[in-house]
Amino acid sequence: MKTAIWLYFFLFVAFFDLHAQYPILTPFAVSLGAAPSFIGLMMGLYSITHLPGNVIAGYGVDRFGSRLFIVFSLAAAGVVLVFQASVTNPWQLLILRSISGFVLAFLSPACMSLLARITRDRIQQGKLMAGNGLVHTVASVVSPAAGAFLVAQIGFTTSFLILGWVLVATAACALFFIRDVPLDASAAADGQAGALHGGGHAFHGAAPHHGGPEGEPAGTPVKVPWLVYTLPIAMSCAQGILSFELPLMAKTQEAMMTTGLLFSVVSLGALLTLSMLFLNKLSAYMRSLWGAFVLALLYFAIAAGVPAPFYLLLLLLGMAKGVIFPALSTLLIELSGGARYGRTFSILSIAFSVGAFIGPLLAGHLRDYVSPYYIAFIALMIAVSLLPFHTIRTKGAGAHFSRIG
C-alpha cells in the first residue's frame, strides 16, 4: 500500500495546483480582452484536446504501466503553466490551454489504473477509489480560495510561474517515489483472492468477485455497456457549465476571492459525503443513479432561482458529486470484469472530456437566451433516464440487475 500512499500525496499536490487555477483563468482571459463566447471555446478546447491523450493513455497504460505517464503529464503541464505566465493575448492562451488539455489527459487514467491494480479485491478497490476522490476533494476545498488569494497578492504572472514550477517539482519527485504494480503480480494477487473467496459475489453483487459474467475466468475482458458513459458525459457537461459561470461573477480581484470560496464550498460538500464511508457499502449502481438524479434537481433549483442561499445549493451540489464519483469508478471496475483498467478509465476520461467540451461551449453561446444551469439539468436527466437501460445490454448479468434495478 506504500504505492497508494505516495500516489495520494502526489495527487494532492497536483490537484491543489490545478484547482487553484479555476477561479483565476476566466478573469485572466478577460484581462487579455477575451469575450465570454471565446472563454467558452477555450474551456471546451481544453477538454476536447484530452481525447487523443485519453486514447493513447488507454493503450499505453495497459502496456507500459502508469508511472511514466504520470511523470510526463505533471512535468509537461508545469512547463505549459510557466509559458502561460508570459502570454499577451487570448489566442496565445487558447493554444497553451489546448496543449495543457492534451498532456493532462494522461494523468487520470494512469492514476486510476494504478490504484485499481494495487488489489483485485473489489471492496479494497472501492476504498482506494473513494480515497482518490477524497484526496481530490480535500485539495479542491482549499485550492480555489488559495489561488484567488495568490493572484490578489502577487498577480497573474507570478502566480502561474509558482504553480508551474510546483508541478515540475512534483513530477520529479513522482519519478523516484511512484512504482508500478507489475501486471503479472496483479494477476497473481487475483488468483490468490479467487482461491480465498471461491465463487463469492462482487462488492454488492455487480459481477462475480474475480471474473466476468457467466463465470468467466478472472481478468477476462468484458465489454462495458456504452450507455454507462452517458452519466460522466452529463456530469462533466454540468460541471463545465458551473466552472464557466461562477468565475464570470468576478469583476474585480476582491470578487475573485468570493468566486474561489464558491468553488471551495462545492468541494467541501463533496468532502462531507466522501467522508461517509458507510456509503461504500451501498450498491455502486444505485449510488450513481440516485446521486445523478439529486444533482439534476439541484441544477434545476439554481436555474429556477429557488429562494435558498446560493452557498447552501452549492454545498448540496458538491455532496451529490461526492456520492457519484467514487460510485461510478467502482461500477466501471465491476462491469469491466477485472481487466483492461487502462482502457476502461481512458474511455471514462474521454466521456468526461466530451461533456466538458460541450458544457462551456453551450453556456458561452446560449447564456443570453437561457440559463446554462437549465442545460445542465436537461443533460443530467437524460443520463438518469438512459442509465437503467444499460442493464439489458449486459450479457449474463440479468440476475444481478434484477436485484438492483
Side-chain angles (χ1 to χ4, degrees):
M1 288 295 175
K2 287 184 179 179
T3 299
I5 294 173
W6 279 115
L7 189 58
Y8 285 152
F9 173 75
F10 292 122
L11 282 174
F12 175 83
V13 176
F15 286 139
F16 182 95
D17 195 290
L18 297 173
H19 282 276
Q21 301 175 56
Y22 279 7
I24 64 179
L25 273 173
T26 295
F28 179 58
V30 170
S31 72
L32 296 176
S37 58
F38 185 91
I39 295 172
L41 174 64
M42 181 183 70
M43 295 177 68
L45 284 178
Y46 170 83
S47 300
I48 208 64
T49 52
H50 271 49
L51 295 180
N54 291 150
V55 173
I56 295 171
Y59 290 92
V61 168
D62 284 337
R63 185 171 182 180
F64 302 108
S66 299
R67 177 169 166 261
L68 292 179
F69 287 97
I70 294 172
V71 172
F72 166 76
S73 184
L74 291 172
V79 171
V80 170
L81 269 177
V82 171
F83 280 104
Q84 188 173 297
S86 59
V87 301
T88 56
N89 65 71
W91 289 102
Q92 292 177 347
L93 182 60
L94 181 102
I95 293 171
L96 287 176
R97 293 300 295 167
S98 299
I99 296 173
S100 180
F102 172 75
V103 299
L104 283 171
F106 299 96
L107 186 60
S108 181
C111 290
M112 298 184 77
S113 177
L114 182 56
L115 284 174
R117 283 195 174 112
I118 289 174
T119 177
R120 287 300 182 96
D121 181 87
R122 294 293 186 264
I123 295 178
Q124 292 300 321
Q125 285 176 329
K127 290 180 179 179
L128 287 174
M129 291 301 165
N132 174 65
L134 187 63
V135 168
H136 188 162
T137 305
V138 170
S140 62
V141 167
V142 294
S143 56
F149 177 79
L150 196 64
V151 169
Q153 297 298 313
I154 60 178
F156 290 112
T157 299
T158 309
S159 297
F160 287 135
L161 282 173
I162 291 175
L163 294 174
W165 285 116
V166 166
L167 277 183
V168 172
T170 303
C173 294
L175 183 63
F176 294 102
F177 292 103
I178 290 182
R179 292 291 179 266
D180 265 315
V181 177
L183 296 179
D184 55 347
S186 183
D190 185 46
Q192 293 173 1
L196 290 172
H197 292 284
H201 287 84
F203 180 39
H204 298 288
H209 219 331
H210 301 288
E214 304 288 354
E216 294 174 5
T220 300
V222 178
K223 186 176 181 180
V224 178
W226 287 104
L227 284 176
V228 174
Y229 293 107
T230 59
L231 180 55
I233 290 175
M235 285 190 62
S236 59
C237 176
Q239 177 61 37
I241 288 172
L242 186 68
S243 299
F244 174 83
E245 285 293 310
L246 288 185
L248 288 178
M249 299 169 59
K251 304 298 183 183
T252 64
Q253 286 192 337
E254 290 75 15
M256 272 193 297
M257 284 297 299
T258 301
T259 303
L261 290 173
L262 292 178
F263 278 110
S264 295
V265 167
V266 176
S267 299
L268 181 61
L271 179 62
L272 290 176
T273 45
L274 284 170
S275 301
M276 300 176 185
L277 299 181
F278 64 89
L279 292 176
N280 292 326
K281 298 180 180 180
L282 304 177
S283 162
Y285 168 75
M286 297 303 290
R287 281 183 285 151
S288 300
L289 182 67
W290 287 103
F293 179 69
V294 172
L295 188 64
L297 294 182
L298 288 168
Y299 274 106
F300 180 84
I302 295 175
V306 170
F310 191 47
Y311 279 98
L312 176 61
L313 292 176
L314 291 179
L315 181 71
L316 295 174
L317 190 148
M319 292 180 68
K321 288 173 56 181
V323 171
I324 302 169
F325 277 117
L328 184 58
S329 300
T330 304
L331 180 62
L332 286 173
I333 291 174
E334 294 170 348
L335 294 176
S336 70
R340 293 181 178 175
Y341 290 130
R343 298 183 192 182
T344 298
F345 287 117
S346 73
I347 296 174
L348 175 64
S349 296
I350 289 171
F352 279 131
S353 299
V354 170
F357 169 74
I358 295 172
L361 199 63
L362 291 177
H365 287 83
L366 300 179
R367 67 191 309 269
D368 292 333
Y369 308 100
V370 63
S371 171
Y373 296 117
Y374 277 124
I375 301 173
F377 164 73
I378 293 172
L380 284 166
M381 286 306 296
I382 291 174
V384 169
S385 301
L386 291 177
L387 186 61
F389 288 99
H390 88 280
T391 59
I392 63 176
R393 301 292 302 277
T394 308
K395 182 179 178 181
H400 153 64
F401 287 113
S402 66
R403 292 197 300 272
I404 67 171

